[in-house]
PDB file of all heavy atoms in Angstrom:
ATOM      1  N   GLN B 107     -39.987 -12.660  60.240  1.00 96.00           N
ATOM      2  CA  GLN B 107     -40.243 -12.921  58.793  1.00 96.00           C
ATOM      3  C   GLN B 107     -39.551 -11.794  57.958  1.00 96.00           C
ATOM      4  O   GLN B 107     -39.713 -10.642  58.372  1.00 96.00           O
ATOM      5  CB  GLN B 107     -41.726 -12.977  58.450  1.00 96.00           C
ATOM      6  CG  GLN B 107     -42.619 -13.611  59.492  1.00 96.00           C
ATOM      7  CD  GLN B 107     -42.322 -15.150  59.710  1.00 96.00           C
ATOM      8  OE1 GLN B 107     -42.201 -15.846  58.716  1.00 96.00           O
ATOM      9  NE2 GLN B 107     -42.147 -15.532  60.928  1.00 96.00           N
ATOM     10  N   GLY B 108     -38.914 -12.183  56.906  1.00 85.00           N
ATOM     11  CA  GLY B 108     -38.328 -11.221  55.983  1.00 85.00           C
ATOM     12  C   GLY B 108     -37.078 -10.623  56.582  1.00 85.00           C
ATOM     13  O   GLY B 108     -36.538 -11.008  57.532  1.00 85.00           O
ATOM     14  N   ASP B 109     -36.594  -9.551  55.911  1.00 87.00           N
ATOM     15  CA  ASP B 109     -35.240  -9.081  56.171  1.00 87.00           C
ATOM     16  C   ASP B 109     -35.213  -8.022  57.293  1.00 87.00           C
ATOM     17  O   ASP B 109     -34.769  -8.216  58.368  1.00 87.00           O
ATOM     18  CB  ASP B 109     -34.651  -8.495  54.875  1.00 87.00           C
ATOM     19  CG  ASP B 109     -34.477  -9.592  53.878  1.00 87.00           C
ATOM     20  OD1 ASP B 109     -34.303 -10.785  54.244  1.00 87.00           O
ATOM     21  OD2 ASP B 109     -34.569  -9.280  52.645  1.00 87.00           O
ATOM     22  N   GLU B 110     -35.674  -6.851  56.912  1.00 94.00           N
ATOM     23  CA  GLU B 110     -35.542  -5.704  57.788  1.00 94.00           C
ATOM     24  C   GLU B 110     -36.137  -5.999  59.212  1.00 94.00           C
ATOM     25  O   GLU B 110     -37.318  -6.390  59.246  1.00 94.00           O
ATOM     26  CB  GLU B 110     -36.147  -4.368  57.207  1.00 94.00           C
ATOM     27  CG  GLU B 110     -35.790  -3.153  58.026  1.00 94.00           C
ATOM     28  CD  GLU B 110     -36.602  -2.012  57.576  1.00 94.00           C
ATOM     29  OE1 GLU B 110     -37.402  -2.061  56.652  1.00 94.00           O
ATOM     30  OE2 GLU B 110     -36.431  -0.933  58.329  1.00 94.00           O
ATOM     31  N   SER B 111     -35.357  -5.736  60.225  1.00 98.00           N
ATOM     32  CA  SER B 111     -35.918  -6.021  61.567  1.00 98.00           C
ATOM     33  C   SER B 111     -36.279  -4.705  62.268  1.00 98.00           C
ATOM     34  O   SER B 111     -35.594  -3.714  62.125  1.00 98.00           O
ATOM     35  CB  SER B 111     -34.978  -6.795  62.472  1.00 98.00           C
ATOM     36  OG  SER B 111     -35.461  -6.869  63.758  1.00 98.00           O
ATOM     37  N   PHE B 112     -37.410  -4.749  63.083  1.00 98.00           N
ATOM     38  CA  PHE B 112     -37.806  -3.609  63.855  1.00 98.00           C
ATOM     39  C   PHE B 112     -37.516  -3.782  65.344  1.00 98.00           C
ATOM     40  O   PHE B 112     -37.983  -3.053  66.168  1.00 98.00           O
ATOM     41  CB  PHE B 112     -39.331  -3.282  63.603  1.00 98.00           C
ATOM     42  CG  PHE B 112     -39.575  -2.699  62.306  1.00 98.00           C
ATOM     43  CD1 PHE B 112     -39.574  -3.426  61.104  1.00 98.00           C
ATOM     44  CD2 PHE B 112     -39.644  -1.243  62.146  1.00 98.00           C
ATOM     45  CE1 PHE B 112     -39.796  -2.921  59.896  1.00 98.00           C
ATOM     46  CE2 PHE B 112     -39.824  -0.719  60.878  1.00 98.00           C
ATOM     47  CZ  PHE B 112     -39.915  -1.519  59.764  1.00 98.00           C
ATOM     48  N   PHE B 113     -36.619  -4.761  65.596  1.00 98.00           N
ATOM     49  CA  PHE B 113     -36.053  -4.954  66.925  1.00 98.00           C
ATOM     50  C   PHE B 113     -34.498  -4.754  66.731  1.00 98.00           C
ATOM     51  O   PHE B 113     -33.970  -5.308  65.855  1.00 98.00           O
ATOM     52  CB  PHE B 113     -36.339  -6.276  67.563  1.00 98.00           C
ATOM     53  CG  PHE B 113     -37.778  -6.460  68.038  1.00 98.00           C
ATOM     54  CD1 PHE B 113     -38.779  -6.845  67.184  1.00 98.00           C
ATOM     55  CD2 PHE B 113     -38.103  -6.155  69.358  1.00 98.00           C
ATOM     56  CE1 PHE B 113     -40.050  -6.960  67.584  1.00 98.00           C
ATOM     57  CE2 PHE B 113     -39.320  -6.300  69.761  1.00 98.00           C
ATOM     58  CZ  PHE B 113     -40.390  -6.727  68.912  1.00 98.00           C
ATOM     59  N   PRO B 114     -33.841  -3.972  67.633  1.00 98.00           N
ATOM     60  CA  PRO B 114     -32.389  -3.788  67.463  1.00 98.00           C
ATOM     61  C   PRO B 114     -31.698  -5.158  67.547  1.00 98.00           C
ATOM     62  O   PRO B 114     -32.073  -6.020  68.267  1.00 98.00           O
ATOM     63  CB  PRO B 114     -32.067  -2.901  68.704  1.00 98.00           C
ATOM     64  CG  PRO B 114     -33.359  -2.279  69.091  1.00 98.00           C
ATOM     65  CD  PRO B 114     -34.451  -3.189  68.826  1.00 98.00           C
ATOM     66  N   SER B 115     -30.581  -5.259  66.823  1.00 97.00           N
ATOM     67  CA  SER B 115     -29.822  -6.505  66.810  1.00 97.00           C
ATOM     68  C   SER B 115     -28.999  -6.658  68.046  1.00 97.00           C
ATOM     69  O   SER B 115     -28.734  -7.729  68.514  1.00 97.00           O
ATOM     70  CB  SER B 115     -28.965  -6.671  65.494  1.00 97.00           C
ATOM     71  OG  SER B 115     -28.236  -5.503  65.386  1.00 97.00           O
ATOM     72  N   ASP B 116     -28.559  -5.582  68.600  1.00 98.00           N
ATOM     73  CA  ASP B 116     -27.728  -5.562  69.771  1.00 98.00           C
ATOM     74  C   ASP B 116     -28.543  -6.028  71.035  1.00 98.00           C
ATOM     75  O   ASP B 116     -29.747  -5.563  71.132  1.00 98.00           O
ATOM     76  CB  ASP B 116     -27.200  -4.119  70.020  1.00 98.00           C
ATOM     77  CG  ASP B 116     -26.486  -3.999  71.356  1.00 98.00           C
ATOM     78  OD1 ASP B 116     -25.373  -4.268  71.436  1.00 98.00           O
ATOM     79  OD2 ASP B 116     -27.206  -3.512  72.334  1.00 98.00           O
ATOM     80  N   ASP B 117     -28.001  -6.932  71.799  1.00 98.00           N
ATOM     81  CA  ASP B 117     -28.901  -7.542  72.842  1.00 98.00           C
ATOM     82  C   ASP B 117     -29.435  -6.559  73.870  1.00 98.00           C
ATOM     83  O   ASP B 117     -30.542  -6.558  74.251  1.00 98.00           O
ATOM     84  CB  ASP B 117     -28.044  -8.596  73.641  1.00 98.00           C
ATOM     85  CG  ASP B 117     -27.938  -9.940  72.802  1.00 98.00           C
ATOM     86  OD1 ASP B 117     -28.671 -10.099  71.878  1.00 98.00           O
ATOM     87  OD2 ASP B 117     -27.135 -10.798  73.243  1.00 98.00           O
ATOM     88  N   PHE B 118     -28.486  -5.626  74.293  1.00 98.00           N
ATOM     89  CA  PHE B 118     -28.913  -4.640  75.294  1.00 98.00           C
ATOM     90  C   PHE B 118     -30.022  -3.716  74.685  1.00 98.00           C
ATOM     91  O   PHE B 118     -31.026  -3.438  75.359  1.00 98.00           O
ATOM     92  CB  PHE B 118     -27.754  -3.847  75.818  1.00 98.00           C
ATOM     93  CG  PHE B 118     -28.152  -2.884  76.915  1.00 98.00           C
ATOM     94  CD1 PHE B 118     -28.354  -3.302  78.205  1.00 98.00           C
ATOM     95  CD2 PHE B 118     -28.385  -1.570  76.633  1.00 98.00           C
ATOM     96  CE1 PHE B 118     -28.685  -2.433  79.206  1.00 98.00           C
ATOM     97  CE2 PHE B 118     -28.837  -0.675  77.604  1.00 98.00           C
ATOM     98  CZ  PHE B 118     -28.987  -1.105  78.866  1.00 98.00           C
ATOM     99  N   LYS B 119     -29.826  -3.291  73.453  1.00 98.00           N
ATOM    100  CA  LYS B 119     -30.722  -2.319  72.846  1.00 98.00           C
ATOM    101  C   LYS B 119     -32.055  -3.072  72.593  1.00 98.00           C
ATOM    102  O   LYS B 119     -33.178  -2.478  72.765  1.00 98.00           O
ATOM    103  CB  LYS B 119     -30.227  -1.809  71.541  1.00 98.00           C
ATOM    104  CG  LYS B 119     -29.086  -0.725  71.742  1.00 98.00           C
ATOM    105  CD  LYS B 119     -28.702  -0.061  70.465  1.00 98.00           C
ATOM    106  CE  LYS B 119     -27.569   0.903  70.734  1.00 98.00           C
ATOM    107  NZ  LYS B 119     -26.686   0.993  69.644  1.00 98.00           N
ATOM    108  N   ARG B 120     -31.999  -4.350  72.268  1.00 98.00           N
ATOM    109  CA  ARG B 120     -33.253  -5.105  72.059  1.00 98.00           C
ATOM    110  C   ARG B 120     -34.034  -5.146  73.370  1.00 98.00           C
ATOM    111  O   ARG B 120     -35.240  -4.966  73.415  1.00 98.00           O
ATOM    112  CB  ARG B 120     -32.929  -6.517  71.557  1.00 98.00           C
ATOM    113  CG  ARG B 120     -34.183  -7.281  71.222  1.00 98.00           C
ATOM    114  CD  ARG B 120     -33.930  -8.741  70.759  1.00 98.00           C
ATOM    115  NE  ARG B 120     -35.238  -9.332  70.597  1.00 98.00           N
ATOM    116  CZ  ARG B 120     -35.810  -9.567  69.411  1.00 98.00           C
ATOM    117  NH1 ARG B 120     -35.268  -9.211  68.291  1.00 98.00           N
ATOM    118  NH2 ARG B 120     -37.015 -10.168  69.357  1.00 98.00           N
ATOM    119  N   ALA B 121     -33.226  -5.414  74.461  1.00 98.00           N
ATOM    120  CA  ALA B 121     -33.922  -5.462  75.817  1.00 98.00           C
ATOM    121  C   ALA B 121     -34.533  -4.099  76.046  1.00 98.00           C
ATOM    122  O   ALA B 121     -35.667  -4.047  76.630  1.00 98.00           O
ATOM    123  CB  ALA B 121     -32.902  -5.848  76.811  1.00 98.00           C
ATOM    124  N   ARG B 122     -33.858  -3.065  75.752  1.00 98.00           N
ATOM    125  CA  ARG B 122     -34.469  -1.724  76.044  1.00 98.00           C
ATOM    126  C   ARG B 122     -35.773  -1.534  75.211  1.00 98.00           C
ATOM    127  O   ARG B 122     -36.749  -0.978  75.748  1.00 98.00           O
ATOM    128  CB  ARG B 122     -33.467  -0.654  75.718  1.00 98.00           C
ATOM    129  CG  ARG B 122     -33.934   0.770  75.769  1.00 98.00           C
ATOM    130  CD  ARG B 122     -34.089   1.245  77.282  1.00 98.00           C
ATOM    131  NE  ARG B 122     -32.859   1.646  77.778  1.00 98.00           N
ATOM    132  CZ  ARG B 122     -32.350   1.444  79.048  1.00 98.00           C
ATOM    133  NH1 ARG B 122     -33.129   0.758  79.856  1.00 98.00           N
ATOM    134  NH2 ARG B 122     -31.222   1.838  79.448  1.00 98.00           N
ATOM    135  N   CYS B 123     -35.701  -1.920  73.943  1.00 98.00           N
ATOM    136  CA  CYS B 123     -36.941  -1.850  73.126  1.00 98.00           C
ATOM    137  C   CYS B 123     -38.088  -2.616  73.710  1.00 98.00           C
ATOM    138  O   CYS B 123     -39.182  -2.148  73.860  1.00 98.00           O
ATOM    139  CB  CYS B 123     -36.560  -2.407  71.745  1.00 98.00           C
ATOM    140  SG  CYS B 123     -37.788  -2.477  70.508  1.00 98.00           S
ATOM    141  N   GLU B 124     -37.720  -3.817  74.223  1.00 98.00           N
ATOM    142  CA  GLU B 124     -38.796  -4.679  74.851  1.00 98.00           C
ATOM    143  C   GLU B 124     -39.284  -4.049  76.178  1.00 98.00           C
ATOM    144  O   GLU B 124     -40.498  -4.137  76.488  1.00 98.00           O
ATOM    145  CB  GLU B 124     -38.335  -6.086  75.048  1.00 98.00           C
ATOM    146  CG  GLU B 124     -38.073  -6.782  73.656  1.00 98.00           C
ATOM    147  CD  GLU B 124     -37.502  -8.198  73.769  1.00 98.00           C
ATOM    148  OE1 GLU B 124     -36.947  -8.533  74.796  1.00 98.00           O
ATOM    149  OE2 GLU B 124     -37.601  -8.867  72.713  1.00 98.00           O
ATOM    150  N   GLU B 125     -38.368  -3.434  76.855  1.00 98.00           N
ATOM    151  CA  GLU B 125     -38.677  -2.726  78.102  1.00 98.00           C
ATOM    152  C   GLU B 125     -39.687  -1.614  77.847  1.00 98.00           C
ATOM    153  O   GLU B 125     -40.711  -1.485  78.513  1.00 98.00           O
ATOM    154  CB  GLU B 125     -37.393  -2.183  78.745  1.00 98.00           C
ATOM    155  CG  GLU B 125     -37.631  -1.461  80.052  1.00 98.00           C
ATOM    156  CD  GLU B 125     -36.296  -0.865  80.561  1.00 98.00           C
ATOM    157  OE1 GLU B 125     -35.281  -0.844  79.850  1.00 98.00           O
ATOM    158  OE2 GLU B 125     -36.220  -0.398  81.719  1.00 98.00           O
TER     159      GLU B 125
END
Side-chain angles (χ1 to χ4, degrees):
Q107 320 296 311
D109 298 331
E110 191 191 356
S111 175
F112 286 80
F113 285 86
S115 52
D116 171 84
D117 281 349
F118 183 80
K119 287 187 181 149
R120 183 178 177 106
R122 176 74 81 219
C123 179
E124 293 177 343
E125 179 185 10

